[in-house]
Amino acid sequence: MTTVLNPQKSLSVNPLKMSQPLGAALAFLGLKGMMPLFHGAQGCTAFAKVVLVRHFRESIPLSTTAMTEVSTILGGEDHVEQAILTIVDKYKPQVIGLLTTGLTETRGDDMGRILKIVREKHPELASLPIISVSTPDYKGSLQDGYTAAIESIVATDYGPFASDEPPTVSMKPQVTVLCSSHLSPGDVEELKSIVEAFGLTPVMIPDLSRSLDGHLEDNPHTVTTGGTTITQLKQLNRSCLTLAIGESMRKSAQILEGRFGTKYEVFPRLAGLDAVDAFLWRLSQILTSRCDHHFPLVPNIPANLQRQRRQLQDVILDTHFYFGGKKVSLALEPDLLYQTAWLLTEMGAKIQAAVTTTKSPILESLPIDNVTIGDLADLEDLAAGSDLIITNSHGTALSKRLQAPLYRMGYPIFDQLGLGQRCLVGYRGTMQFLFDVGNILMEEEAKHSPATLH
Amino acid sequence: MKLTKGKINELLTQPGCEHNHNKEGQTKNKSCTQQAQPGSAQGGCAFDGASIALVPITDAAHLVHGSIACSGNSWNSRGSLSSGPMVYKMGFTTDLSENDVIFGGEKKLYKAIAEIIKKYNPAAIFVYSTCVTALIGDDLDAVCKAATNKYETPVIPVHAPGFVGSKNLGNRLGGEALLQHVVGTKEPPYITAYDINLIGEYNVAGEMWGVLPLFKKAGIRVLAKITGDARYEEVCTAHRAKLNVMICSKALINMATAMKERYNIPYIEESFYGIGDMNRCLRNIAAFFGDEALMVRVEEIIAEETAKLDVALAPYRERLKGKRMVLYTGGVKSWSIVSAAQDLGMEVVATSTKKSTEEDKARIKQLLGEDGIMLEKGSPEELLRVIEKTKADLLVAGGRNQYTALKARIPFLDINQERHHPYAGYVGMVEMARELDEAVHSPIWRQVRKAAPWEIWQQEHESLLNLEAE
Ligand code: SF4
């Protein structure tokens, strides 16, 4: 069992953590026709926007209630109301994600009451879903804010179908897939196609693969053009199972179980042979379990996945030379840390140090004795002598100082291309990770080999 | 300095800023007082502005007293470069927790300061208040003072919590901190007859380095850079300069006016962008000193540099001739870039006047001619409309508009904070020409605009089908 160290420090040096509101906004961006709205002073939104734009290289819709000194003293109702009206008028969103910030939480704005007043005053907004979530940035991290937003998304009642909006009918059983913050748009895409390959209809929450994957639209747009639709959210009750990807999605899955009685299963990670095997095996059971048990069906695993599995086994063989015995230090959010640390361990690498951002039960089962909730200065102290550092782009300087190569994961990554589509889960994604990291380690070995020294 | 309403008002009504000289006799700076609009506001907060102005002081530590949103989401994201110390690049924050919000963060702040001094030994520490710490009423001044007394490292409070206003106001609040606590606290080791300060130039992408050699060659000494690639100590001695040169921005106008009052240092406003402006800058400085030899040296430099430039720019001029540009950037920079573009033979068909003063606008009008469009607002939709209307070849704007252009398949050049190429001075001009050329003539534009063969097929057959239907 891993010991979680949480030193209470006065000073954070080179923060690893990003704010809850940023995480919530990211989750909201996986809904179609979405405009996230920060209830706070304008700077929080501007910073969040810069981070997301630089990471995904996409235009990112975000807006602010633009609280000022005066409105902070008097209360923010007017600003929330005005912001919602302006957004509806200018951007015509299908849904608004309203999130709080440190400022408005400290002040104690009661969002439920404010929204109620706005709704009473403006009956014309009746059909517009507004998902509200509390995300003070003096608590938690990006992953926590993201998770809180997902919990709000699945807890919100989107009302019945409108007459002009027929529910999508499908012969295939529907499953809800809850995607934790450690999944990139490319990961979500891969996950979706795997689930579909088993003859299932997945509802991804959130579906970043249609909003932040980086693609050209025909017309300019001001809200997200893809993602989970409100129609999909209205029929979550039809899912026969919830697949929660990432430990942080457990509570959201429980909320769905509470509301609709949908059973759930948590898959804390989806990289590495064992993890993917277990996931596919479970998927194959969903269809067969619906059949008559007197005539057991042979589980049907799609041929391309079976082939990918053999490829992965080959890749594991080819790459293991470079991983064996290597010391790796990681600073990542809990879900991503768990997935990555185990994959590396399964390849024969040693986890030298692990730093993370926030509490999570999953931290107790890492392949290392201690994990520190801390910052990049902690990583720098712990990582001396590592063969590889894995963290976000802020790790560039420390990796130079430690003379160890850096593999970038997490948020923000602002000095690398292709993050909208990078996929590191499933058999295919695992192979990608092994190639990426294997190449770095191989190059490093070549640098230090006797042949180059002479 | 405590942040009082009076102080903010004073900063908003800088007499040196023509924003305040509009016809109706209103006395406040429009771009500063304009309240951010709920639902449509886009820009950064005052804290953002203050850090833009101060973080380029490279040997100082910059400690953000607040919750993680302020520092965690923004540290290490700006492009101002250092020729030496790197401590300014580190992210220091008190990372406020819920407990601190309830019980106050002063003790934590004091300990954080102590730790920075012990571990990193910076030349000074700038401590920034933010929304939450301002709201809970932490006494920044008292903590900073106590720490300064105890450790003998200057610890400077910067009162620019986000909710007091825009990035612009934040710039000035940053300047205010320098005036209050830094400028005039030390004497320079020596002085020369040609000492100037550069104000408002942050060495983004190393721009300053393209210009400093010119001053050196002419015999002009830059005493303090405020604040690009500055060392804390040089800013302390800035009060001994003979002239303040404000670069490309009115953001720190309060520093220039205050230093004129307090130390009798006159100021001029100049720009490093474009041949004409760079020439004028050197000439104006020389003219200020009124020294014959200096003027001659400056003319020699100008002659030499322009001759070199003509050769270097010739191929670009040919390729860029007649290309049409829509420009969207703030303040003084807009007319400065307009003239740079015209130096290259390009046509600026529209430009922003959002942050421009009446004086800037007049100058822009003159440069643009009759047909030029002056953009007051720059929403993405508005920009796209103008680009379409004017059949512009590219958009030159701040990074925030990059994806507005690219998503519409329009060439784009970044002109603001986060870019990576220096455009200042004569060398910068070549760099800018090269970048413009790359942007406009890239072979990618045909590809990203091309319809897929099956789409074309469909269109053709649709018309056939329609014909048949008729
Ligand atoms: S608006 Fe306030 S809380 Fe938000 S980043 Fe600016 S100073 Fe920090």
Side-chain angles (χ1 to χ4, degrees), chain A residues 209-223:
Chain A
S209 76
R210 288 295 179 274
S211 54
L212 295 178
D213 57 319
H215 64 269
L216 274 184
E217 294 280 335
D218 287 339
N219 299 310
H221 49 89
T222 46
V223 295

Side-chain angles (χ1 to χ4, degrees), chain A residues 41-44 47, chain B residues 45 47 69-70 130-131 161-163:
Chain A
Q42 60 175 331
C44 299
F47 283 147
Chain B
C45 60
F47 158 67
C70 318
T130 58
C131 290
F163 60 47

Side-chain angles (χ1 to χ4, degrees), chain B residues 171-397:
Chain B
N171 283 153
R172 288 186 188 179
L173 290 167
E176 207 58 31
L178 293 182
L179 284 170
Q180 283 272 328
H181 301 281
V182 185
V183 173
T185 56
K186 273 202 182 110
E187 291 303 322
Y190 66 97
I191 48 173
T192 77
Y194 307 106
D195 284 351
I196 64 167
N197 298 322
L198 297 179
I199 300 184
E201 161 59 54
Y202 304 131
N203 201 30
V204 172
E207 281 199 329
M208 181 120 57
W209 298 329
V211 182
L212 288 180
L214 300 172
F215 289 134
K216 191 156 188 211
K217 208 162 157 192
I220 300 162
R221 180 171 76 147
V222 178
L223 179 63
K225 302 176 289 297
I226 301 176
T227 51
D229 193 18
R231 306 294 178 271
Y232 179 75
E233 201 161 315
E234 71 185 65
V235 184
C236 296
T237 66
H239 62 297
R240 292 300 176 207
K242 311 281 186 300
L243 175 69
N244 276 331
V245 183
M246 305 253 320
I247 303 302
C248 272
S249 163
K250 291 214 158 53
L252 288 179
I253 184 89
N254 56 321
M255 287 207 72
T257 49
M259 286 172 79
K260 189 171 166 196
E261 261 168 46
R262 272 184 224 172
Y263 310 110
N264 209 10
I265 306 174
Y267 68 90
I268 54 176
E269 293 173 39
E270 299 296 336
S271 150
F272 292 157
Y273 296 116
I275 305 168
D277 283 2
M278 193 61 230
N279 290 351
R280 185 171 31 227
C281 170
L282 290 172
R283 286 193 177 119
N284 285 350
I285 295 173
F288 166 83
F289 287 110
D291 177 311
E292 275 301 323
L294 177 61
M295 288 195 234
V296 171
R297 278 200 303 276
V298 159
E299 286 308 325
E300 278 166 11
I301 291 171
I302 290 175
E304 186 189 333
E305 294 289 338
T306 22
K308 265 199 288 185
L309 256 188
D310 272 336
V311 177
L313 290 180
Y316 297 113
R317 283 191 167 131
E318 200 153 297
R319 290 162 62 84
L320 291 171
K321 197 169 154 222
K323 294 288 178 212
R324 301 157 71 81
M325 168 197 294
V326 169
L327 177 64
Y328 190 79
T329 176
V332 188
K333 228 189 241 163
S334 47
W335 54 256
S336 190
I337 302 288
V338 173
S339 70
Q342 290 176 341
D343 282 342
L344 294 169
M346 297 180 73
E347 215 181 302
V348 179
V349 288
T351 187
S352 56
T353 53
K354 191 175 147 215
K355 290 189 205 155
S356 303
T357 61
E358 291 303 318
E359 183 196 338
D360 293 338
K361 282 187 199 167
R363 209 176 315 201
I364 292 167
K365 191 146 236 160
Q366 200 187 357
L367 281 168
L368 247 54
E370 274 309 299
D371 300 333
I373 299 173
M374 316 255 275
L375 287 161
E376 265 294 338
K377 288 194 306 209
S379 65
E381 306 88 70
E382 176 71 5
L383 281 177
L384 289 176
R385 208 179 50 76
V386 168
I387 291 169
E388 195 176 352
K389 201 172 115 199
T390 56
K391 303 214 163 34
D393 294 295
L394 91 160
L395 174 68
V396 176

Side-chain angles (χ1 to χ4, degrees), chain A residues 12 14 17 19 57-58 64 137, chain B residues 39 67 91 93 95 403 407:
Chain A
S12 168
N14 298 344
K17 187 165 71 167
S19 72
R57 297 175 195 257
E58 283 295 306
T64 172
D137 46 62
Chain B
S67 48
T93 177
D95 181 11
Y403 294 95
K407 289 286 172 187

Side-chain angles (χ1 to χ4, degrees), chain A residues 361-376:
Chain A
I362 200 80
L363 295 175
E364 289 169 9
S365 3
L366 290 172
I368 180 174
D369 292 337
N370 297 312
V371 56
T372 309
I373 296 181
D375 49 40
L376 290 176

Side-chain angles (χ1 to χ4, degrees), chain A residues 35-233:
Chain A
M35 175 58 87
L37 172 60
F38 287 58
H39 182 34
Q42 60 175 331
C44 299
T45 313
F47 283 147
K49 192 161 185 153
V50 170
V51 168
L52 293 173
V53 165
R54 290 178 84 200
H55 184 94
F56 290 107
R57 297 175 195 257
E58 283 295 306
S59 55
I60 303 283
L62 292 185
S63 53
T64 172
T65 59
M67 293 290 283
T68 61
E69 206 174 7
V70 177
S71 61
T72 302
I73 296 164
L74 299 179
E77 292 93 349
D78 295 354
H79 279 241
V80 176
E81 177 184 353
Q82 208 186 325
I84 291 175
L85 295 181
T86 306
I87 291 170
V88 169
D89 180 50
K90 270 176 80 170
Y91 308 116
K92 317 215 163 16
Q94 290 151 26
V95 52
I96 290 176
L98 177 60
L99 48 113
T100 57
T101 60
L103 178 68
T104 48
E105 287 284 344
T106 305
R107 196 192 168 276
D109 277 356
D110 177 350
M111 299 316 287
R113 194 182 61 84
I114 294 179
L115 274 181
K116 198 161 154 251
I117 295 172
V118 173
R119 288 228 182 257
E120 275 165 16
K121 269 173 89 175
H122 300 281
E124 74 273 15
L125 298 176
S127 64
L128 176 75
I130 299 175
I131 306 167
S132 167
V133 59
S134 157
T135 47
D137 46 62
Y138 48 76
K139 268 203 257 181
S141 72
L142 183 146
Q143 180 180 302
D144 296 307
Y146 180 101
T147 304
I150 302 294
E151 284 160 14
S152 291
I153 290 171
V154 296
T156 299
D157 183 359
Y158 298 90
F161 289 96
S163 51
D164 57 342
E165 177 194 31
T168 41
V169 186
S170 165
M171 291 303 290
K172 296 176 181 166
Q174 175 180 301
V175 290
T176 303
V177 186
L178 299 173
C179 306
S180 147
S181 60
H182 76 294
L183 298 175
S184 71
D187 292 338
V188 176
E189 178 85 52
E190 177 73 8
L191 189 52
K192 193 180 350 184
S193 71
I194 291 176
V195 176
E196 278 167 352
F198 281 86
L200 303 164
T201 305
V203 176
M204 316 300 286
I205 303 178
D207 191 353
L208 297 178
S209 76
R210 288 295 179 274
S211 54
L212 295 178
D213 57 319
H215 64 269
L216 274 184
E217 294 280 335
D218 287 339
N219 299 310
H221 49 89
T222 46
V223 295
T224 53
T225 56
T228 323
T229 62
I230 297 298
T231 311
Q232 285 177 314
L233 293 174

